[in-house]
Amino acid sequence: MATFQELARNYAERIRSAIASDGLSNRTKVYADDLRGSNTLLEAKRIKREIDSLVYSGSNTPLSEADKRDILERLNQELGLPTHRQKSFGIVESASNDDLADLADEIENVLGGKK
């Protein structure tokens, strides 16, 4: 299995590609309705499922919740999302909860490069 940082970097690239394929940019306002059925939403959900199904190479046991959280935090860092936030969702968690308003906010943070 790749390192957590390598996984996060790969996931970030996939999300950036999905955002671009949806035609979203730092010049556009992102609304929840824009994300219904979007490539970004679908890719974020795929990534969440992948993270949830990761296993340790040696023992073939599922990753611990702490390790999954570590990967998600690294993913958020790769995307340039603010860290140590009081209300910390991230793209993957927002998508998996179908919280499209929070997902729209997170995408705008990625597009705007907010830290």
Side-chain angles (χ1 to χ4, degrees), residues 6-17:
E6 290 168 337
L7 288 169
R9 194 171 297 123
N10 176 273
Y11 294 147
E13 286 305 312
R14 288 170 49 188
I15 288 174
R16 284 189 195 102
S17 292

Side-chain angles (χ1 to χ4, degrees), residues 18-72:
I19 290 170
S21 73
D22 286 330
L24 304 173
S25 74
N26 61 353
R27 295 183 202 109
T28 59
K29 173 76 176 142
V30 180
Y31 297 98
D33 287 340
D34 299 333
L35 300 174
R36 293 188 203 294
S38 69
N39 291 325
T40 305
L41 176 63
L42 296 174
E43 189 63 31
K45 285 184 174 193
R46 269 192 290 273
I47 289 169
K48 175 67 170 139
R49 283 191 303 271
E50 285 179 30
I51 291 171
D52 285 342
S53 67
L54 288 172
V55 296
Y56 297 105
S57 298
S59 65
N60 212 28
T61 58
L63 262 61
S64 69
E65 291 303 314
D67 285 345
K68 291 176 189 178
R69 172 67 39 209
D70 185 14
I71 293 169
L72 290 171

Side-chain angles (χ1 to χ4, degrees), residues 10 20 33 41 49 61 64 69 72-73 77 79 82 84 87 97 99 105 111:
N10 176 273
D33 287 340
L41 176 63
R49 283 191 303 271
T61 58
S64 69
R69 172 67 39 209
L72 290 171
E73 288 173 4
Q77 288 174 337
L79 292 171
H84 301 95
K87 186 179 178 186
N97 293 332
D99 192 341
D105 290 343
L111 294 171

